[in-house]
Structures are given as C-alpha cells and as structure tokens.
Amino acid sequence: MTALTSPPAQAPGTATAARGLTRRELHAGWTVRAVAGPVPAHLADQVHAPVPATVPGTVHTDLLAAGIVPDPYLDDNEHVLAWIGRCDWEYRTTFEWAPDGHERHDLVADGLDTVAAVTLNGHLLAETANQHRTYRLPVDEHLRPGTNELVVRFSSPLAYAAAQNVAMGYRPHTNPHPFNAIRKMACSFGWDWGLETATSGIWRPLALEAWSGARLAAVRPVASVADTSTDAPHAGAHPASPDAPVPGRLAVHVDVERSPGVDGPLDVAVHVDGLVTTARVPAGQASTLVDVDLPAVRRWWPRGFGEQPLYEVTVELLASPGATPEETEEREARTAVGPLDVRRHRVGFRTVRLDMLPDEHDGEPGTSFVILVNDQPVFVRGANWIPDDAFPHRVTRERYAARIAQAEQANVNLLRVWGGGIFEADDFYDLCDERGILTWQDFLFACSTYAEEEPLRSEVEAEVRDNVVRLAPHPSLVLWNGNNENLWGFHDWDWQPRLQGRTWGLGYYTELLPALLAELDPGRPYTPGSPWSGTVDLHPNLDAHGSVHVWDAWNRQGYEVYRDHVARFVAEFGWQGPPTWSTLRDALSDDPLTPESPGMLVHQKAAQGNDKLTDGLLPHFPLPDDMDDWHWAMSLNQANAMTVGIEHLRSWSPRCAGSIVWQLNDCWPVTSWAAVDGAGRAKPTLSALAHAYRDRLVTVQPRRPDGGAPVPGHPSALAVVVVNDSPDPWSGTLVQRRVRYDGTVLAEVTNAVGLAPRETRTFLLPGAVATAGRPADELVVAALGDERGLWFFAEPRDSALAEGGLDVTVREVASDAVAPSPVPGSIRETAADREPAGGHRYEVAVTARTLVRDVALLADKVHPDATVDDQLVTLLPGEAATFTVTSPAPLDPLALGARRVLRTANQLVAGPSTPGANP
C-alpha cells in the first residue's frame, strides 16, 4: 500500500535532471553459497560454490530451483534438509551505478530473513536480526561509479536463537526450538501443522532509492466519518441506507526526512476525490498534518452489510520557495520537474469499535465481545489465517486472491492473521479491502514467553512501528491483538515457575503496544491477547468474558463438547482432517499408503494427532481399515465437527458475537485443521463452513425446557433456532417434523415466523416432535423456506443408514467452460508452469431412494484439478441434488459416480458395496 510511485529510475549509468525520488530494485544477478555449517559431504562442492539465487527468495527455494536439494514438502525431505537452518549463507550480486544528480542514496531492504550482515563494496552497512521490519541504509559514502558489489551474509537462525536464549535468559516456549529469542516467523521453526525450515534469505524486495532535498519518511492517512451512532446500536437499528453519503474527514499525517542542510519549508499536497489540499512543513520541522474535509463520502462496509467504496489518496511532497534568491531558484527548478516524492494509498471511510461491556446471562455476569462497523454489530463468521506457504515470498497476489475467494465461498467475513506467522504482504490487505473481508491482526507473539529487555525490546518497537504505519490505512483491518495464547499459557501451561521471575511479555501487551497504537493508530480497537477476558484480573479464557479459545474438544473430549461452551466470542476452535486425496498422493510416495505409513506420520505434526483423530471418530463412525474409507471418514468427521461448533455458536447470537474457526489454509501438505489444504484444494470442510456460515440458518439445538443453555444432569429439550444474519427481513412458515428414514412423517407442527434483519429467534420443539420412538431410524427436520436444519437422534454408527440408496446420472454440459485455475501447491508445479486449457463441465445428478447423509463428490480423485461446486448434502427419500464438476480435461463419467469418488456417510456404517458401484 505504501509503494513509491515516483518517476521511474533512470537506466544504470545515465544522469538525470529529475529531482523526484527514484527506486531501482536490485533483484538481478544474485548468487548464494554456504559459508559455514554442517553441509552434507556429498553436497559440499555444489553449495560452497555460488548457486544462482532469486530475490525475493530463500536458501531452500534457491537450492531447490538449482536441483541441488529435493522438495521439502515431499515425503521426509523436511528432515533431510534440516542442515540448511544450521548453516551460514552468503548472497552476493553486483550492479552498475553512475552519478545521477541526487543528493542521497539509500539501500532499502523490505525484508531480511533474519540474522544478516549487509556490506557494500566491502563496507559494513548494517547487522540485522529481525525478519519483520524494514531497513533503510545510507550508502552515499560507499557507492562508487561503475561496478558495485553487494553482499548479504546470513548467520544460522537456529544457532542465533539458541545463543540468544542463553544470553537473555531461558524463557519457556512451545515446540523444540527457542523461537521466542529471535524476531523471525515463529512457525518456520515448526508448528503442530507446519514443517521446520528455519531458512534464510532476502525474502522481500531490495532496492536502491535516490532522492534530493527531502523525502516522505512516513504517510498515515486516517479516514473517518461523522458520528452515525444510534440510541440502540445493539437492537438492530440501521441507518436509512448503507449507501447514504455522510460527511468525511481525511487526516494525513506526514513525516519527512531532509537532506543535510535542507532546512527550509516544504509543502505537502493531498489529492482525494477531486480535492487538493495543501499544508506546510515549517522550516526545520519534520512533520505536518493535512486535514481534508469531504462533504459527502460513501461508507465502507463488511461483506453482507453494503459495498466497499475505496478512495485513492495521493500525497505529494513539494519544494517551497526558499528564504534566499539562490534557494528560491533551486526550489523552483525542482518544482518544475515534479514533486520530490509521492505516495499513493487507498482508504475507506468507516468507523469501528469493539464493545467489551458488562452483561449478564443465565444469572451469570460476563463481558461482551462485539465488533461494530459503522455502529452496526457484526457477527463474525471467521477463519484463522496462517502463512499460505512455508516460504511466504512465493505467495503472489493471484494466490492471495484465490485463497480469499475460497474464504468468500465459505461465507467468511473475517480473517484473523495469527501471531506465529508474519504481517502479510500489502496484496492480502488490499484484496480484503476490495472484498469486504474484515481482518484481525495479531502482533507477532505466539504460544511463548518473551524477554522485554534489550536487544529484543527495540526490535519489537521497530517492527510494530513499521507495520502499524503500513497497515493502518486499510479499512478492512478492524482489530489489533497483542499475542496468541501467551496470557493463557502464563496461567495454565506451567510457565510461571520456569520463568524464575523474569519478564515474559506482559509489558509489551499492556504497555508498549498500547502506547505505540495510541501514537500511530488510536482509532482502531486493541486487545492485549487472544483469548482475552477484558482485564488481567480475570483468567484469560473464560466463556462468560470476552474472547476464548476452545481446544478441550479436539485435545480431550470430542466435538460434541462445543455445545458446552456458551461463549461471548470464540476466536479459535478446530478439528483435524487429512488433505485432499490428490494432495496426499502428490506429497507422499508411501507404498502402501496407510494412516501410519512413514510419510503420513511425517505429515502429521500434532501431538498424538492420529490417536486424537481416532478417538474423535469412534463416537460417530467405526474406524475403517481401508485407506480410502479412512481418508473419507476423517475428512467427513472434520467437516461435521465444524458444523456442530459453528451452528451452536450462531444459535446463541447475539449473546455470542463471533466464531473464528482454526484454520482456513495450510502452508504445506499436512493433516491439519485447515479447510483448504496445502496445495490450495478445498477439503469437504470448506463446504461445511459455507453451509454453517450462510446468511440464513435453521438449526436444531439442545436447550433447557425454558430455552436456556442445557446443564449436565438436568432436564433438556430441543429447540429450533432461526438465525437471520442478513440485511433483509425473513418471514414464512417454520415447519418442524419428526421423520422416519424412509420419509414417513411421524409428527409435525408449524409456526408463522417473522425475523427482522440480524435477528435470532428460538422455538422450543413440542415433545411429539422432539422425542423419538425409534432413535436409530428417526430425525427432526425443521424448514423455513429453502433453509432447513436436521437433528439426528442417533450417531451414524448407531443408526439404520443403508448403502446403495442413490440413483446417479452424469452428463457433460459444456466442453468450453472456464477451466479451474491450476492449484498452487508444491513448487514442483506452480501456476506459471502450466498452460491454460479449455474446461469441461459435468452435472452429476443424484436422487435418494432412502435417507442418504452427507453426499460428497471428491472430484480431485478423477482429475487433480477438477473442482465441485458443493459438498455434504443430506437427502431424504425422493429428494435430488445436482453437483457441478469443472475440469481442465475430459473426465470419465463413470468415474464421477464411482464409490471412492461419490461418497456418503452411509458408506461408513453400512459396509462396502461392490467396487465401483454407485453409493
């Protein structure tokens, strides 16, 4: 968002009369070589010699591109390549330069990963130790006409972290390596879903900038609108129209850096919405504020609430007339050739706040956690976001767009950028701005304790300043958060005795970060951590207070436990499942492939992960012995777990104001909690999210007879909960039936209902509908219009589900359809490697002869790039559904109807049928 847009740099070796800042990227001609560390003997000759390198890039990807090492995503190559993180590496290039008439020249590194010494022509420019910040290094003393040599030497991040851990004093952390002792992406040291790389490299752009007189050091445009609050914002009050123009204000905070001796006044011009407003930077000063009043702007809204108008803001730094004739002549000459520097941003006009207010439910006092945009409460239908690649420099704008499109497909309205990763690239936030996807940004502290002393403290402050200024203009960003689970860990993970009284990060979360935000971004909400109960005086992970993380279900008890948590806001909960079949087979060469074959275990990072998968499956389905069935059972169980959790939480809105599942995406092929696997393929869980997060929801939930939350050991009932999280009223006849699996209606009641926009209503079911005569063969069906919810009295393994209950027809409906984009995944095959192809589209029509649960079509088993428009559809006898499959190549229609492709829950409890037969 803060890309410099000044006139283009002159060709190397040419002079220029232009005085505006120029930027020349130094991305060509790089090599990398190992200079110290445990290089395997058989590779020593290759990696001690210069290897062609890419900038931006990393050691791993450079060695892979050179054919020296195998893909770390495949089989057990992660461990084969562990030596890379224990070595020192040297990047080297040369570039030509000639005097260009500018007064100042800076080397600007947008990202060095991580422990680096930067030299130019043999002169040390800087020693760095922070992946998350930028560096501006003056080079005028060392830049010379002709050929210049630039070297960046990276020290082993593993060795550095280990040494710093001792130097600063041991502090407890999760995972084997002391990632808390270095400002580097925490998950690069391995996580319970991520491989260990501990790589090094110039991972973001590196450029030479030339300027004269002065430059824009920082620009912070703050967009605001007039007060639109209502007397009762929580009661569903709405302005007449979300598109109604309102008065707006743009406050542009500008900091400048001057060349030595340039102390005269400067002008700043701000262009927005056809208006030009100027302000003066007084002589000798380094900052100014430009206020722009706009009589009528359109507000920016989250998806589902309105549109996302964005306003271009151009900020120009201009030379002002000097105090002497000589200065005046020089400034006029500069003005004649354009501004000294230019920045362009996009802003959206909206308000945001977080309400954490005292409340009381079921006689228990609590604290709300409600995000409001333009004074309208937003029920967060969210997903957690991790780096989309173990080597984040490979994530292009197109890949961000594909992943965010999948979030939209899942009806997600917020992505939480998790604190063990990175501050994502500008493209991520730009796309969220455009699509109305809210973002919640963790500061980069996760599952650990952190020293608050030097040298870490200064690094933390520098990275926060860099990234708050960079990200603050984005209207999609609605919440800063201090850390992930560190407050919780301090309370419950036995850290306190191991700390021995040392600092552990609390001062960052309650003092330093709030102070920096008060200076740089005071209008945006902040929470010290996630989970967070609103005060350090309370345990941080309490259902009744603020945000919580719910992990007892996955770790110990099973997903039905989600219904025990009537929380105000759930910021993490999740369930594991394997990647899609094609991703699994691409990544693993195991023969035979089994749940516990060697590659499967390498690509399962969770502690006792397979045991938890099994324990979580058995209450619902028997454990299959066939690998195809095991893969489907675990995929389905993950999807069902998310459905149970989300529908439960949404049924308690507005008492509960948000659900953020763990997690949307993966960074490599792995069994994990993601809905989209490491190759970018949607797992069945993505369809489960789409169904559970749709605007209008009908769900059947357990309740007390008075409608309150069930209490173990006390009488319970069933209720239909109707959720209208849409901007329009919803009315009709709510039909509630108890139905036998063969379709026989055993009991029925109807209610005329009407819901206002953003309203939730609960209807207790009468006993005739809520009580089963034969639990194994009956269910509740509640329908309002096209939406319906189901309640099964028995788990699938204990029910009378039969296999072979579908009639299937397949027909090709287009041979010139738009083909699905190649799935970005392993660097063995990127989108750039593949030629676009014409697409083929097929309709797979299924009709149920008996009850069939969770019909899914695993299209990637037929072609790895085939996609399907929906999954997990339950059909009553006589009902039909049509799935649309799109593929870049022709498909065998019979394959689309085969048992291993067209899957159902029935198959897992009724036993296998004839191979290749329809479900």
Side-chain angles (χ1 to χ4, degrees):
M1 182 67 78
T2 57
L4 300 173
T5 56
S6 51
Q10 300 295 307
T14 64
T16 175
R19 310 303 291 180
L21 183 147
T22 64
R23 178 180 172 98
R24 172 188 171 192
E25 290 187 335
L26 302 176
H27 293 172
W30 287 93
T31 61
V32 63
R33 66 187 184 97
V35 292
V39 175
H42 70 284
L43 297 177
D45 289 345
Q46 291 175 279
V47 302
H48 284 143
V51 175
T54 299
V55 172
T58 64
V59 173
H60 278 77
T61 52
D62 288 334
L63 298 183
L64 178 60
I68 296 172
V69 301
D71 189 336
Y73 284 12
L74 307 183
D75 296 317
D76 195 14
N77 292 339
E78 169 195 3
H79 297 125
V80 171
L81 302 183
W83 60 272
I84 294 175
R86 299 197 292 271
C87 291
D88 296 353
W89 298 89
E90 180 187 86
Y91 279 78
R92 184 182 297 264
T93 193
T94 60
F95 63 93
E96 299 299 311
W97 181 81
D100 53 16
H102 277 294
E103 301 165 355
R104 292 286 305 274
H105 299 84
D106 297 331
L107 182 68
V108 181
D110 291 342
L112 300 174
D113 182 11
T114 293
V115 186
V118 184
T119 61
L120 178 64
N121 297 324
H123 299 278
L124 181 66
L125 300 180
E127 293 179 321
T128 75
N130 192 332
Q131 179 183 3
H132 307 303
R133 59 175 291 194
T134 60
Y135 296 91
R136 177 174 289 272
L137 311 175
V139 296
D140 288 289
E141 293 183 9
H142 310 302
L143 197 61
R144 63 194 184 200
T147 301
N148 292 261
E149 184 177 59
L150 180 60
V151 178
V152 183
R153 175 170 174 151
F154 290 96
S155 299
S156 161
L158 288 170
Y160 179 88
Q164 288 297 108
N165 188 44
V166 173
M168 293 188 294
Y170 165 79
R171 285 168 172 81
H173 53 86
T174 55
N175 302 321
H177 299 294
F179 63 85
N180 54 338
I182 182 173
R183 298 310 295 158
K184 176 175 170 61
M185 183 173 79
C187 62
S188 70
F189 293 95
W191 216 260
D192 57 3
W193 38 258
L195 77 167
E196 177 187 325
T197 64
T199 197
S200 297
I202 305 169
W203 77 292
R204 280 184 167 163
L206 184 71
L208 181 67
E209 291 189 356
W211 53 281
S212 298
R215 70 174 188 90
L216 293 167
V219 174
R220 291 186 294 116
V222 179
S224 59
V225 299
D227 184 10
T228 60
S229 61
T230 65
D231 292 335
H234 281 66
H238 294 262
S241 168
D243 294 325
V246 297
R249 166 165 285 198
L250 185 68
V252 183
H253 302 259
V254 176
D255 297 329
V256 300
E257 181 184 3
R258 299 171 180 267
S259 291
V262 178
D263 297 322
L266 299 165
D267 287 334
V268 174
V270 173
H271 304 251
V272 60
D273 201 29
L275 301 177
V276 181
T277 306
T278 61
R280 176 65 52 88
V281 181
Q285 301 296 307
S287 63
T288 191
L289 173 65
V290 186
D291 281 323
V292 183
D293 289 313
L294 297 107
V297 296
R298 295 172 58 220
R299 287 170 294 173
W300 184 97
W301 291 92
R303 67 187 305 268
F305 282 76
E307 297 182 356
Q308 294 79 43
L310 296 169
Y311 290 76
E312 298 283 346
V313 178
T314 301
V315 180
E316 296 177 327
L317 180 63
L318 305 168
S320 297
T324 68
E326 293 79 9
E327 288 178 329
T328 299
E329 181 179 355
E330 181 180 0
R331 301 298 181 215
E332 289 175 349
R334 290 179 178 177
T335 302
V337 297
L340 299 175
D341 198 358
V342 179
R343 297 280 181 93
R344 287 195 172 91
H345 296 264
R346 289 188 308 176
V347 300
F349 290 87
R350 57 103 181 96
T351 64
V352 62
R353 75 175 191 267
L354 173 67
D355 278 359
M356 295 192 71
L357 304 174
D359 64 15
E360 183 174 315
H361 295 280
D362 289 336
E364 180 184 22
T367 308
S368 65
F369 193 101
V370 183
I371 293 173
L372 298 97
V373 178
N374 298 325
D375 296 300
Q376 300 305 306
V378 177
F379 185 95
V380 168
R381 299 180 246 164
N384 281 273
W385 174 278
I386 66 170
D388 202 57
D389 198 300
F391 308 105
H393 74 275
R394 298 196 304 200
V395 183
T396 62
R397 184 180 181 90
E398 291 73 23
R399 187 151 147 191
Y400 278 126
R403 210 63 69 243
I404 292 171
Q406 288 169 316
E408 288 181 298
Q409 178 186 340
N411 290 314
V412 162
N413 64 12
L414 180 145
L415 293 172
R416 174 193 172 216
V417 183
W418 169 76
I422 60 174
F423 297 101
E424 294 289 340
D426 294 336
D427 287 331
F428 172 83
Y429 306 93
D430 286 343
L431 290 164
C432 288
D433 291 344
E434 293 170 7
R435 299 184 180 190
I437 301 289
L438 303 176
T439 58
W440 156 334
Q441 178 69 56
D442 282 6
F443 289 104
L444 301 185
F445 305 94
C447 301
S448 189
T449 57
Y450 292 83
E452 297 175 34
E453 294 78 25
E454 297 297 345
L456 213 62
R457 184 181 182 88
S458 293
E459 292 295 342
V460 168
E461 178 171 351
E463 77 184 49
V464 170
R465 286 186 177 277
D466 275 359
N467 287 286
V468 169
V469 170
R470 177 171 71 93
L471 301 182
H474 291 279
S476 59
L477 179 57
V478 294
L479 183 67
W480 295 107
N481 177 60
N483 72 83
N484 177 77
E485 297 187 345
N486 296 351
L487 304 177
W488 184 18
F490 180 79
H491 277 265
D492 288 356
W493 298 353
D494 299 321
W495 288 350
Q496 295 186 42
R498 286 181 256 156
L499 278 166
Q500 304 179 88
R502 291 179 171 134
T503 58
W504 57 278
L506 183 64
Y508 292 146
Y509 318 137
T510 61
E511 297 173 12
L512 179 62
L513 297 180
L516 292 173
L517 290 171
E519 173 191 346
L520 300 172
D521 193 23
R524 205 176 321 257
Y526 168 77
T527 53
S530 183
W532 172 243
S533 292
T535 171
V536 294
D537 297 327
L538 288 173
H539 188 284
N541 201 32
L542 298 174
D543 283 346
H545 295 275
S547 64
V548 299
H549 293 191
V550 177
W551 284 111
D552 55 348
W554 162 252
N555 282 319
R556 293 188 297 274
Q557 301 182 54
Y559 63 70
E560 56 277 4
V561 171
Y562 289 139
R563 295 192 180 105
D564 295 342
H565 293 274
V566 185
R568 299 301 188 270
F569 191 105
V570 179
E572 281 190 21
F573 66 107
W575 200 269
Q576 272 202 347
T580 61
W581 187 259
S582 289
T583 298
L584 204 57
R585 292 296 356 182
D586 285 348
L588 303 180
S589 59
D590 293 4
D591 186 12
L593 179 68
T594 75
E596 295 182 320
S597 58
M600 285 292 292
L601 295 181
V602 169
H603 291 246
Q604 164 60 279
K605 296 297 185 180
Q608 299 177 299
N610 276 12
D611 290 342
K612 292 173 183 177
L613 283 172
T614 299
D615 292 345
L617 179 76
L618 288 174
H620 313 287
F621 296 97
L623 182 66
D625 294 320
D626 174 78
M627 184 61 187
D628 259 304
D629 285 348
W630 180 92
H631 178 266
W632 164 235
M634 294 306 179
S635 300
L636 176 58
N637 209 45
Q638 179 191 24
N640 287 345
M642 292 297 88
T643 298
V644 167
I646 294 170
E647 290 195 4
H648 159 71
L649 295 172
R650 292 191 69 192
S651 79
W652 285 106
S653 63
R655 175 175 173 176
C656 174
S659 151
I660 308 181
V661 301
W662 185 270
Q663 66 218 63
L664 177 69
N665 60 325
D666 262 331
C667 66
W668 76 309
V670 65
T671 297
S672 84
W673 298 265
V676 177
D677 72 21
R681 296 184 176 99
K683 297 155 94 169
T685 294
L686 193 74
S687 289
L689 300 186
H691 299 166
Y693 274 156
R694 58 193 182 270
D695 288 353
R696 291 176 169 177
L697 176 70
V698 177
T699 181
V700 183
Q701 297 289 329
R703 291 290 189 265
R704 291 198 312 261
D706 64 359
V711 178
H714 289 71
S716 64
L718 287 178
V720 177
V721 184
V722 183
V723 180
N724 181 25
D725 192 13
S726 81
D728 302 311
W730 187 19
S731 61
T733 300
L734 177 63
V735 181
Q736 304 139 85
R737 297 187 176 106
R738 179 164 56 91
V739 180
R740 191 169 289 141
Y741 284 10
D742 65 6
T744 303
V745 177
L746 303 172
E748 178 178 324
V749 294
T750 60
N751 302 89
V753 300
L755 281 79
R758 316 292 176 191
E759 184 183 9
T760 298
R761 294 186 63 187
T762 300
F763 305 88
L764 285 172
L765 282 172
V769 177
T771 305
R774 299 187 334 204
D777 189 32
E778 297 177 15
L779 72 153
V780 173
V781 181
L784 178 59
D786 293 332
E787 301 296 336
R788 77 178 181 190
L790 307 176
W791 177 268
F792 289 89
F793 293 103
E795 292 292 345
R797 67 173 302 151
D798 302 319
S799 64
L801 293 173
E803 191 170 2
L806 286 180
D807 294 324
V808 183
T809 60
V810 181
R811 68 187 186 99
E812 184 169 6
V813 294
S815 58
D816 58 352
V818 176
S821 297
V823 178
S826 167
I827 49 178
R828 291 184 307 154
E829 184 174 46
T830 63
D833 297 327
R834 315 245 331 236
E835 293 294 329
H840 298 258
R841 191 164 62 244
Y842 299 82
E843 288 184 351
V844 181
V846 297
T847 302
R849 298 190 299 274
T850 183
L851 174 75
V852 183
R853 292 187 64 171
D854 298 312
V855 184
L857 204 157
L858 308 183
D860 70 286
K861 286 186 169 184
V862 183
H863 187 284
D865 289 329
T867 60
V868 65
D869 64 335
D870 199 9
Q871 303 264 40
L872 306 176
V873 176
T874 292
L875 300 174
L876 297 175
E879 292 182 339
T882 298
F883 300 92
T884 301
V885 176
T886 307
S887 170
L891 303 179
D892 177 3
L894 291 178
L896 291 172
R899 183 182 187 276
R900 68 185 299 270
V901 175
L902 188 58
R903 303 303 313 234
T904 69
N906 301 42
Q907 297 167 345
L908 298 173
V909 298
S913 61
T914 303
N918 290 334

